């Protein structure tokens, strides 16, 4: 059975935005749901997040049939982690994915730099991920649309543009993300 990993953001507001909806829809599709609880804000760092993901890797839950939906900071973590651990996955959907932080916030920049995959890790991740999609919007308060499209291009991901949904977090008021569910259904049917 495939599983669905939902990787939250810097603030973990994915758990209050589209995360619960995605978990419910994933269960309806027969997927095992994994929604890791990572340290947030100033406590977030790549090493701590990696140690948590290592548990899923060692148990066999994270494998070549895995589907991963990552939001914001999670879109840095997942490619870096997959590349460093040499893990292949079936599907990766980035939500509000960016490479260069444009927030202007020092606290966030420090954390993002700790997670940011380098070019070699990005290239390796592209080869390890069978299907890649990138969901983004035109009014993301953290990054301009050009940066979000650059992320999609860099990961050779199929672009899924949704107008006026911001950064897809709590501030955006997004509670559902049917576009991600449609992508998952399409890949499961292959």
């Amino acid at each position: 059975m495939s599983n669905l990993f939902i990787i939250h953001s810097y603030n973990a507001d994915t758990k209050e935005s589209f995360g619960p909806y995605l978990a419910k829809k994933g269960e309806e599709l027969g997927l095992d749901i994994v929604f890791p609880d990572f340290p947030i804000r100033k406590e977030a760092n790549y090493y701590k997040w990696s140690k948590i993901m290592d548990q899923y890797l060692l148990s066999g839950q994270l494998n070549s049939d895995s589907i991963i939906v990552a939001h914001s900071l999670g879109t840095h973590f997942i490619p870096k982690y997959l590349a460093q651990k040499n893990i292949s996955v079936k599907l990766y959907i980035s939500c509000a994915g960016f490479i260069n932080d444009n927030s202007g916030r020092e606290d966030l920049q420090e954390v993002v730099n700790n997670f940011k995959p380098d070019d070699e890790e990005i290239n390796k991740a592209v080869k390890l991920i069978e299907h890649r999609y990138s969901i983004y919007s035109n009014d993301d308060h953290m990054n301009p649309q050009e940066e979000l499209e650059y992320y999609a291009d860099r990961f050779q991901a199929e672009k899924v543009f949704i107008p006026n949904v911001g950064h897809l977090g709590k501030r955006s008021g997004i509670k559902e993300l049917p576009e991600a569910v449609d992508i998952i259904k399409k890949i499961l049917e292959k």
Side-chain angles (χ1 to χ4, degrees):
M1 175 184 284
S2 292
N3 50 49
L4 170 61
F5 282 83
I6 304 168
I7 307 300
H8 67 67
S9 60
Y10 172 79
N11 289 316
D13 62 354
T14 313
K15 293 185 176 219
E16 298 172 36
S17 61
F18 66 85
Y21 167 83
L22 205 54
K24 179 179 178 244
K25 293 297 183 181
E27 285 175 351
E28 290 172 8
L29 292 171
L31 299 170
D32 286 334
I33 307 303
V34 183
F35 207 155
D37 194 17
F38 297 114
I40 62 172
R41 300 185 184 96
K42 291 180 185 177
E43 295 301 313
N45 74 50
Y46 179 79
Y47 177 78
K48 290 177 183 177
W49 283 36
S50 293
K51 287 298 168 197
I52 291 169
M53 282 302 281
D54 285 347
Q55 296 170 20
Y56 301 110
L57 179 60
L58 293 172
S59 73
Q61 284 180 283
L62 181 59
N63 59 55
S64 61
D65 286 326
S66 293
I67 295 166
I68 303 174
V69 177
H71 179 214
S72 192
L73 184 61
T75 68
H76 276 344
F77 173 69
I78 286 302
K80 184 178 192 77
Y81 184 80
L82 295 177
Q84 288 189 355
K85 301 289 182 169
N86 199 37
I87 304 164
S88 294
V89 297
K90 180 185 274 309
L91 171 63
Y92 169 57
I93 303 172
S94 67
C95 298
F98 62 97
I99 292 179
N100 301 301
D101 176 51
N102 292 283
S103 68
R105 292 175 41 192
E106 241 177 80
D107 62 323
L108 187 54
Q109 282 181 333
E110 186 176 320
V111 172
V112 167
N113 287 337
N114 178 255
F115 280 77
K116 186 176 178 178
D118 62 29
D119 286 342
E120 186 177 317
E121 290 165 332
I122 292 172
N123 294 337
K124 187 172 183 182
V126 167
K127 292 175 185 167
L128 290 167
I129 303 166
E130 187 176 352
H131 303 280
R132 297 169 304 282
Y133 289 79
S134 189
I135 298 175
Y136 64 96
S137 188
N138 58 314
D139 61 347
D140 187 317
H141 69 280
M142 299 295 287
N143 288 285
Q145 185 175 338
E146 298 78 31
E147 175 63 28
L148 303 167
E149 289 175 345
Y150 174 67
Y151 182 95
D153 290 339
R154 191 65 186 87
F155 282 93
Q156 300 171 29
E158 189 169 322
K159 295 176 183 173
V160 180
F161 173 77
I162 307 172
N164 308 315
V165 293
H167 195 64
L168 299 167
K170 182 178 170 183
R171 178 175 171 176
S172 302
I174 301 302
K175 294 289 185 188
E176 298 182 355
L177 197 55
E179 295 83 356
V181 176
D182 290 344
I183 293 165
I184 293 167
K185 285 180 184 175
K186 181 168 83 171
I187 298 304
L188 289 174
E189 290 169 0
K190 288 188 175 193

